[in-house]
């Protein structure tokens, strides 16, 4: 019962991780630059994401421009696009697989098959967490290095946006969920190996002698 509750908790964490992963991939605020200027009325907030760049004006207007050209983008944005999409796909696969493998569901057949499915889903979550952690770390490193570079003007410097923090939290949720699923299945298999009952097989000659002895008693 405790293992089933732990798997259910890991499944909830994985759901939050999947939703956060998809949200971070689509959000346009991976890096933010707030330019107040001389007048608060003309304040502008520029946001850049993986798929679009948006500008928000203090007057309430909001405009976005899609990034159609892939080859013109920096290498870290191209890598972030690829790894975040892979993270979303793997985490979605992990949700489907662990739904079959969890102990609290009636899917998946016998316990061994459910255990294998649960372990495979945990591996998907771990890989999804790694694929989500790498681009957010790389993107944050680029933002910080540009911010500390004295040759770059202040108007071109940015700070990490909400999508980066969402990506970090989602990757942590996926990693924790994957570790819980994998260790729960591993402990179950290890217990089966350790506490497997030993069967003592008597030799055929000894069985025949015992059978003959019992028959002689009744003659």
């Amino acid at each position: 019962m405790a293992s089933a509750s732990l798997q259910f908790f890991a499944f909830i964490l994985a759901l939050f991780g999947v939703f956060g992963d998809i949200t971070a991939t689509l959000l346009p605020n991976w890096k933010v630059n707030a330019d107040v200027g001389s007048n608060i009325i003309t304040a502008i907030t520029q946001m850049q994401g993986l798929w679009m760049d948006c500008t928000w004006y203090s007057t309430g207007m909001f405009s976005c421009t899609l990034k159609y050209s892939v080859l013109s983008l920096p290498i870290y944005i191209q890598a972030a696009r690829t790894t975040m999409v892979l993270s979303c796909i793997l985490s979605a696969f992990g949700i489907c697989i662990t739904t079959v493998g969890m102990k609290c569901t009636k899917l998946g057949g016998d316990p061994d098959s459910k255990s294998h499915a649960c372990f495979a889903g945990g591996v998907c979550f771990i890989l999804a967490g790694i694929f989500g952690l790498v681009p957010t770390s790389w993107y944050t490193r680029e933002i910080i290095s540009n911010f500390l570079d004295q040759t770059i003007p202040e108007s071109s410097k940015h700070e990490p946006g909400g999508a980066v923090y969402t990506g970090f939290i989602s990757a942590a949720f996926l990693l924790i969920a994957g570790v819980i699923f994998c260790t729960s299945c591993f402990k179950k298999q290890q217990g089966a190996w350790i506490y497997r009952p030993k069967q003592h097989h008597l030799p055929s000659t000894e069985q025949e002698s015992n059978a003959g002895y019992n028959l002689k008693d009744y003659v």
Side-chain angles (χ1 to χ4, degrees):
M1 184 64 182
S3 180
S5 302
L6 191 62
Q7 287 183 354
F8 184 75
F9 172 72
F11 186 77
I12 297 299
L13 285 180
L15 283 178
F16 281 114
V18 172
F19 291 145
D21 215 11
I22 296 174
T23 303
T25 305
L26 299 177
L27 282 177
N29 59 338
W30 278 66
K31 56 183 178 180
V32 179
N33 180 17
D35 185 14
V36 177
S38 60
N39 191 353
I40 192 63
I41 300 177
T42 61
I44 298 175
T45 301
Q46 296 179 349
M47 298 176 291
Q48 296 184 16
L50 301 180
W51 312 97
M52 64 180 69
D53 297 338
C54 296
T55 303
W56 180 80
Y57 301 92
S58 60
T59 56
M61 296 182 61
F62 194 82
S63 62
C64 293
T65 304
L66 294 176
K67 298 179 178 179
Y68 292 103
S69 178
V70 178
L71 298 178
S72 63
L73 297 175
I75 186 63
Y76 68 95
I77 296 181
Q78 298 181 21
R81 280 185 172 187
T82 305
T83 51
M84 289 301 292
V85 171
L86 287 176
S87 178
C88 293
I89 294 173
L90 286 172
S91 58
F93 279 150
I95 290 293
C96 297
I97 296 173
T98 51
T99 302
V100 176
M102 284 194 304
K103 295 180 181 179
C104 59
T105 62
K106 296 183 179 180
L107 305 173
D110 58 291
D112 290 335
S113 299
K114 290 176 72 68
S115 179
H116 293 157
C118 190
F119 183 81
V123 172
C124 288
F125 288 142
I126 292 176
L127 292 177
I130 294 173
F131 281 134
L133 188 62
V134 169
T136 50
S137 302
W138 191 1
Y139 207 100
T140 305
R141 177 185 175 277
E142 293 293 331
I143 294 174
I144 295 175
S145 62
N146 291 334
F147 189 85
L148 298 177
D149 192 353
Q150 300 296 330
T151 61
I152 298 177
E154 293 293 331
S155 59
S156 300
K157 293 182 179 181
H158 297 80
E159 295 182 359
V164 174
Y165 301 112
T166 304
F168 276 119
I169 297 173
S170 302
F173 282 166
L174 291 172
L175 288 173
I176 294 172
V179 170
I180 291 175
F181 276 116
C182 290
T183 53
S184 64
C185 299
F186 177 74
K187 287 180 180 179
K188 180 181 178 181
Q189 294 178 359
Q190 188 179 14
W193 295 337
I194 294 175
Y195 299 104
R196 181 176 296 175
K198 297 181 179 179
Q199 297 179 356
H200 300 280
H201 298 283
L202 296 175
S204 59
T205 56
E206 185 177 352
Q207 292 179 358
E208 291 177 358
S209 63
N210 291 336
Y213 177 77
N214 293 333
L215 289 175
K216 289 180 182 178
D217 291 341
Y218 291 99
V219 174

